Amino acid sequence: MNSPTSQATRLLIMGPPGSGKGTQASLLSEHIGIPAISTGEIFRAIEASNSPESAPVRAIMQSGGYIGDEVTAGLVADRLSQDDCRFGFLLDGYPRTLPQVETLDALLGRSGQTVDAVISLVIDVDDVNGRLLKRADIDGRADDNQETINVRQRVYAEQTAPLLDLYRARGLLVEVDGGGPVQDVAARILTALGR
């Protein structure tokens, strides 16, 4: 079995909403040369479209909820089947629930693959709430208001945080301090992955 620090190419990045996952995923993706796949970006693109799926996706996102496992699994499976994922990927925002872990395990298992490492950004909840409110001012994201932030943090704590224990038990969890300047966090991640 590969250790989580030995040239992993199939990576997950986890952390509470506002922990900087998207920013770090983008930097790490560029450094390693694998695509960063954000389910949040996929959903925001659907939300902004005029497709039949846009209205229900918009309603769920604006309430702070998460899109259902079946829909999310289908989108992820489709994205991972694309040619640029042959040599690896970095998933940001998936899996979020135990059923999603099982689905991802089965999807990768069909081609004899596994997740190589799971990066967990560890950061204080007050810090992430401040980041999200600042992002709302800068980017105008409707899903970054205090009520929605509170819901998203609670859902993360209840549904996603327990996955960290599962990945820790598998020997895949790489915990990284997510506080401080972006480049410092990026350097910590690369060091933790042996890159």
Side-chain angles (χ1 to χ4, degrees), residues 28-44:
L28 187 56
S29 163
E30 186 175 321
H31 181 85
I32 296 177
I34 56 175
I37 301 166
S38 164
T39 53
E41 286 180 14
I42 293 170
F43 293 140
R44 282 188 287 280

Side-chain angles (χ1 to χ4, degrees), residues 124-163:
D124 183 81
V125 173
D126 290 337
D127 290 344
V128 295
N129 286 347
R131 284 184 184 183
L132 290 170
L133 292 172
K134 184 176 178 181
R135 184 172 76 183
D137 289 340
I138 295 169
D139 297 344
R141 277 188 41 183
D143 58 334
D144 284 339
N145 60 68
Q146 191 62 63
E147 182 180 346
T148 303
I149 289 167
N150 291 343
V151 171
R152 289 166 64 205
Q153 297 291 14
R154 186 180 72 247
V155 171
Y156 176 83
E158 291 171 357
Q159 295 184 11
T160 308
L163 304 185

Side-chain angles (χ1 to χ4, degrees), residues 157-193:
E158 291 171 357
Q159 295 184 11
T160 308
L163 304 185
L164 300 177
D165 290 334
L166 182 149
Y167 285 121
R168 183 180 290 109
R170 293 183 182 182
L172 299 175
L173 193 67
V174 178
E175 294 185 291
V176 176
D177 178 0
V182 168
Q183 293 300 332
D184 290 356
V185 178
R188 286 181 214 128
I189 292 172
L190 292 173
T191 299
L193 291 174

Side-chain angles (χ1 to χ4, degrees), residues 60 82 182 195:
I60 292 168
Q82 296 176 19
V182 168
R195 299 281 182 158

